[in-house]
mmCIF file of all heavy atoms in Angstrom:
data_model
loop_
_atom_site.group_PDB
_atom_site.id
_atom_site.type_symbol
_atom_site.label_atom_id
_atom_site.label_comp_id
_atom_site.label_asym_id
_atom_site.label_seq_id
_atom_site.Cartn_x
_atom_site.Cartn_y
_atom_site.Cartn_z
ATOM 1 N N TYR A 1470 3.116 -4.540 -1.870
ATOM 2 C CA TYR A 1470 2.195 -5.190 -2.882
ATOM 3 C C TYR A 1470 0.709 -4.892 -2.566
ATOM 4 O O TYR A 1470 -0.094 -4.600 -3.493
ATOM 5 C CB TYR A 1470 2.406 -6.687 -2.932
ATOM 6 C CG TYR A 1470 3.713 -7.072 -3.491
ATOM 7 C CD1 TYR A 1470 4.531 -7.898 -2.816
ATOM 8 C CD2 TYR A 1470 4.193 -6.687 -4.769
ATOM 9 C CE1 TYR A 1470 5.846 -8.298 -3.232
ATOM 10 C CE2 TYR A 1470 5.405 -7.019 -5.243
ATOM 11 C CZ TYR A 1470 6.165 -7.854 -4.484
ATOM 12 O OH TYR A 1470 7.354 -8.289 -5.037
ATOM 13 N N PHE A 1471 0.366 -4.880 -1.294
ATOM 14 C CA PHE A 1471 -1.009 -4.641 -0.877
ATOM 15 C C PHE A 1471 -1.333 -3.148 -1.254
ATOM 16 O O PHE A 1471 -2.414 -2.870 -1.720
ATOM 17 C CB PHE A 1471 -1.206 -4.796 0.598
ATOM 18 C CG PHE A 1471 -2.594 -4.410 1.149
ATOM 19 C CD1 PHE A 1471 -3.684 -5.193 0.874
ATOM 20 C CD2 PHE A 1471 -2.698 -3.158 1.788
ATOM 21 C CE1 PHE A 1471 -4.911 -4.746 1.286
ATOM 22 C CE2 PHE A 1471 -3.899 -2.783 2.216
ATOM 23 C CZ PHE A 1471 -5.040 -3.572 2.035
ATOM 24 N N LEU A 1472 -0.398 -2.234 -0.914
ATOM 25 C CA LEU A 1472 -0.745 -0.787 -1.206
ATOM 26 C C LEU A 1472 -0.849 -0.631 -2.697
ATOM 27 O O LEU A 1472 -1.798 0.156 -3.194
ATOM 28 C CB LEU A 1472 0.291 0.125 -0.707
ATOM 29 C CG LEU A 1472 0.369 0.276 0.831
ATOM 30 C CD1 LEU A 1472 1.565 1.101 1.347
ATOM 31 C CD2 LEU A 1472 -0.905 0.872 1.327
ATOM 32 N N TYR A 1473 -0.106 -1.203 -3.530
ATOM 33 C CA TYR A 1473 -0.123 -1.075 -4.965
ATOM 34 C C TYR A 1473 -1.528 -1.641 -5.496
ATOM 35 O O TYR A 1473 -2.222 -1.013 -6.211
ATOM 36 C CB TYR A 1473 0.924 -1.861 -5.707
ATOM 37 C CG TYR A 1473 0.815 -1.874 -7.170
ATOM 38 C CD1 TYR A 1473 1.119 -0.721 -7.970
ATOM 39 C CD2 TYR A 1473 0.432 -3.038 -7.882
ATOM 40 C CE1 TYR A 1473 1.006 -0.779 -9.275
ATOM 41 C CE2 TYR A 1473 0.245 -3.007 -9.193
ATOM 42 C CZ TYR A 1473 0.551 -1.888 -9.898
ATOM 43 O OH TYR A 1473 0.456 -1.906 -11.328
ATOM 44 N N ASP A 1474 -1.882 -2.758 -5.028
ATOM 45 C CA ASP A 1474 -3.227 -3.401 -5.448
ATOM 46 C C ASP A 1474 -4.423 -2.623 -4.890
ATOM 47 O O ASP A 1474 -5.403 -2.412 -5.621
ATOM 48 C CB ASP A 1474 -3.331 -4.841 -4.940
ATOM 49 C CG ASP A 1474 -2.440 -5.836 -5.693
ATOM 50 O OD1 ASP A 1474 -1.980 -5.470 -6.733
ATOM 51 O OD2 ASP A 1474 -2.182 -6.865 -5.070
ATOM 52 N N PHE A 1475 -4.332 -2.048 -3.699
ATOM 53 C CA PHE A 1475 -5.364 -1.211 -3.089
ATOM 54 C C PHE A 1475 -5.520 0.041 -3.876
ATOM 55 O O PHE A 1475 -6.661 0.511 -4.161
ATOM 56 C CB PHE A 1475 -5.112 -0.893 -1.633
ATOM 57 C CG PHE A 1475 -6.230 -0.071 -1.085
ATOM 58 C CD1 PHE A 1475 -7.375 -0.641 -0.742
ATOM 59 C CD2 PHE A 1475 -5.955 1.241 -0.820
ATOM 60 C CE1 PHE A 1475 -8.378 0.057 -0.131
ATOM 61 C CE2 PHE A 1475 -6.968 2.008 -0.200
ATOM 62 C CZ PHE A 1475 -8.219 1.430 0.062
ATOM 63 N N ILE A 1476 -4.437 0.668 -4.280
ATOM 64 C CA ILE A 1476 -4.482 1.999 -5.086
ATOM 65 C C ILE A 1476 -5.147 1.679 -6.355
ATOM 66 O O ILE A 1476 -5.926 2.412 -6.853
ATOM 67 C CB ILE A 1476 -3.073 2.659 -5.220
ATOM 68 C CG1 ILE A 1476 -2.675 3.166 -3.821
ATOM 69 C CG2 ILE A 1476 -3.165 3.664 -6.283
ATOM 70 C CD1 ILE A 1476 -1.202 3.573 -3.790
ATOM 71 N N ILE A 1477 -4.756 0.622 -7.089
ATOM 72 C CA ILE A 1477 -5.433 0.236 -8.363
ATOM 73 C C ILE A 1477 -6.899 0.029 -8.242
ATOM 74 O O ILE A 1477 -7.698 0.548 -8.961
ATOM 75 C CB ILE A 1477 -4.713 -0.999 -8.976
ATOM 76 C CG1 ILE A 1477 -3.286 -0.663 -9.318
ATOM 77 C CG2 ILE A 1477 -5.425 -1.439 -10.201
ATOM 78 C CD1 ILE A 1477 -3.047 0.303 -10.341
ATOM 79 N N TYR A 1478 -7.238 -0.699 -7.166
ATOM 80 C CA TYR A 1478 -8.613 -1.017 -6.866
ATOM 81 C C TYR A 1478 -9.407 0.297 -6.597
ATOM 82 O O TYR A 1478 -10.489 0.543 -7.081
ATOM 83 C CB TYR A 1478 -8.791 -1.931 -5.716
ATOM 84 C CG TYR A 1478 -10.178 -2.036 -5.003
ATOM 85 C CD1 TYR A 1478 -11.247 -2.659 -5.652
ATOM 86 C CD2 TYR A 1478 -10.336 -1.339 -3.878
ATOM 87 C CE1 TYR A 1478 -12.482 -2.664 -5.084
ATOM 88 C CE2 TYR A 1478 -11.654 -1.390 -3.329
ATOM 89 C CZ TYR A 1478 -12.704 -1.977 -3.915
ATOM 90 O OH TYR A 1478 -13.906 -1.985 -3.385
ATOM 91 N N PHE A 1479 -8.849 1.164 -5.777
ATOM 92 C CA PHE A 1479 -9.487 2.352 -5.334
ATOM 93 C C PHE A 1479 -9.733 3.236 -6.516
ATOM 94 O O PHE A 1479 -10.891 3.806 -6.590
ATOM 95 C CB PHE A 1479 -8.648 3.018 -4.258
ATOM 96 C CG PHE A 1479 -9.376 4.295 -3.665
ATOM 97 C CD1 PHE A 1479 -10.401 4.188 -2.756
ATOM 98 C CD2 PHE A 1479 -9.035 5.573 -4.106
ATOM 99 C CE1 PHE A 1479 -11.030 5.248 -2.179
ATOM 100 C CE2 PHE A 1479 -9.703 6.617 -3.602
ATOM 101 C CZ PHE A 1479 -10.637 6.459 -2.618
ATOM 102 N N PHE A 1480 -8.870 3.497 -7.365
ATOM 103 C CA PHE A 1480 -9.078 4.426 -8.398
ATOM 104 C C PHE A 1480 -9.826 3.934 -9.611
ATOM 105 O O PHE A 1480 -10.470 4.534 -10.309
ATOM 106 C CB PHE A 1480 -7.716 4.979 -8.950
ATOM 107 C CG PHE A 1480 -7.121 6.022 -7.948
ATOM 108 C CD1 PHE A 1480 -6.057 5.729 -7.250
ATOM 109 C CD2 PHE A 1480 -7.725 7.225 -7.765
ATOM 110 C CE1 PHE A 1480 -5.486 6.681 -6.311
ATOM 111 C CE2 PHE A 1480 -7.278 8.148 -6.922
ATOM 112 C CZ PHE A 1480 -6.079 7.854 -6.180
ATOM 113 N N THR A 1481 -9.782 2.485 -9.780
ATOM 114 C CA THR A 1481 -10.553 1.957 -10.894
ATOM 115 C C THR A 1481 -11.981 1.492 -10.514
ATOM 116 O O THR A 1481 -12.904 1.656 -11.287
ATOM 117 C CB THR A 1481 -9.832 0.754 -11.573
ATOM 118 O OG1 THR A 1481 -9.607 -0.226 -10.548
ATOM 119 C CG2 THR A 1481 -8.518 1.172 -12.118
ATOM 120 N N GLN A 1482 -12.129 1.003 -9.266
ATOM 121 C CA GLN A 1482 -13.438 0.466 -8.893
ATOM 122 C C GLN A 1482 -14.263 1.496 -8.023
ATOM 123 O O GLN A 1482 -15.313 1.790 -8.369
ATOM 124 C CB GLN A 1482 -13.308 -0.851 -8.096
ATOM 125 C CG GLN A 1482 -12.395 -1.847 -8.805
ATOM 126 C CD GLN A 1482 -13.032 -2.284 -10.209
ATOM 127 O OE1 GLN A 1482 -14.164 -2.506 -10.236
ATOM 128 N NE2 GLN A 1482 -12.194 -2.432 -11.149
#
Side-chain angles (χ1 to χ4, degrees):
Y1470 291 126
F1471 174 77
L1472 288 176
Y1473 175 76
D1474 289 341
F1475 180 75
I1476 289 169
I1477 296 295
Y1478 163 76
F1479 184 77
F1480 285 110
T1481 58
Q1482 307 300 318

